[in-house]
Amino acid sequence: MNANGLVSKLNEYLKWMTRLAGLNALFLIGMLSGLVLFGLFPSISASLGLAKKWFSGNTAVPLWRTYWQLYKQEWKTANLMGLLLSITGGILYINYLLLKSVEGSIFFLVPFAFIALVFLFGLVVLWVFPLMVYYKASLQQHMKNAFILGLTKIHLSFGMAVVWFAAGYYSLQLPSLIPFFSFALLFLGWMWLAYQVLEKIRTNPTAYKKAV
């Protein structure tokens, strides 16, 4: 490899490091600007939206301006979806506590049914935000298609779960990553897996309306 090629690769590497650090900072700022409660879900949507643009080849988009455009654009829908998912997750958690308190005195199939519900809920959580980045639809339609995609593309769903686990694990092992790269790497890996399917669906507009 000649010197010019090495310099070019190093320059590209530094550009990506800067993008990731910038995205990570913007996610944290966006979350805090909404007092966490109202900033978390728009920040997730905006971060995934920016990652989508990068994967589409738009790596030169202005980082700050693009992020806040996506953040404001998705604020209402993302918070409504986040509220719905939070309520559902809360109900599941309450049911878990109830099952735990009566363990040993319930029908043996009940815990398995509960685990299945949690699994299906997890699939929706993994797919619904990437879907919201790609398409405009009702919350119900998004959740329906997230459920279907989660099951039909179970290998990608598993990959997303691994990305989430890896991001959490290494962040706990190396807390210094959190302010700089942890969230950005999570969104990049998460969106890259969703991109493999959603970009193909995008070329066939009727596919989404037909529930994939």
Side-chain angles (χ1 to χ4, degrees):
M1 182 184 293
N2 57 38
N4 288 336
L6 181 62
V7 170
S8 177
K9 285 187 175 296
L10 180 60
N11 184 54
E12 188 64 24
Y13 173 77
L14 291 174
K15 283 182 179 178
W16 272 105
M17 292 289 285
T18 303
R19 289 186 191 113
L20 290 174
L23 175 57
N24 206 81
L26 283 168
F27 171 76
L28 293 172
I29 293 169
M31 186 171 62
L32 293 174
S33 69
L35 303 176
V36 180
L37 181 62
F38 297 107
L40 174 60
F41 299 108
S43 291
I44 291 173
S45 291
S47 298
L48 291 172
L50 196 54
K52 171 185 173 286
K53 289 183 180 295
W54 291 344
F55 290 132
S56 299
N58 299 320
T59 54
V61 293
L63 190 63
W64 179 273
R65 188 173 68 203
T66 305
Y67 182 89
W68 289 111
Q69 284 175 346
L70 293 169
Y71 184 93
K72 294 173 184 176
Q73 176 183 314
E74 297 296 332
W75 191 89
K76 181 179 178 181
T77 306
N79 271 318
L80 286 173
M81 180 60 76
L83 177 63
L84 184 57
L85 293 175
S86 297
I87 291 172
T88 305
I91 292 171
L92 287 173
Y93 180 68
I94 291 170
N95 277 272
Y96 164 75
L97 294 178
L98 290 173
L99 287 173
K100 191 176 180 182
S101 67
V102 296
E103 189 175 359
S105 61
I106 56 175
F107 187 52
F108 76 96
L109 286 178
V110 173
F112 293 101
F114 177 75
I115 291 170
L117 283 175
V118 171
F119 173 73
L120 296 176
F121 173 71
L123 292 181
V124 171
V125 171
L126 288 173
W127 282 96
V128 76
F129 285 101
L131 278 168
M132 289 171 63
V133 167
Y134 257 88
Y135 305 102
K136 298 295 180 185
S138 66
L139 299 184
Q140 181 182 8
Q141 186 68 34
H142 278 313
M143 294 185 75
K144 175 185 174 183
N145 285 328
F147 171 76
I148 294 171
L149 271 174
L151 285 177
T152 58
K153 306 297 178 182
I154 194 67
H155 61 296
L156 293 177
S157 301
F158 177 75
M160 290 178 183
V162 170
V163 167
W164 271 85
F165 174 81
Y169 176 80
Y170 285 108
S171 294
L172 291 174
Q173 295 299 311
L174 298 168
S176 58
L177 287 175
I178 296 174
F180 301 104
F181 298 110
S182 289
F183 296 110
L185 290 172
L186 166 62
F187 295 126
L188 213 65
W190 186 6
M191 193 67 222
W192 184 82
L193 289 166
Y195 186 85
Q196 308 309 305
V197 174
L198 299 181
E199 189 62 18
K200 292 178 182 178
I201 295 174
R202 186 183 65 82
T203 62
N204 182 6
T206 60
Y208 184 62
K209 294 181 181 179
K210 292 179 180 179
V212 194

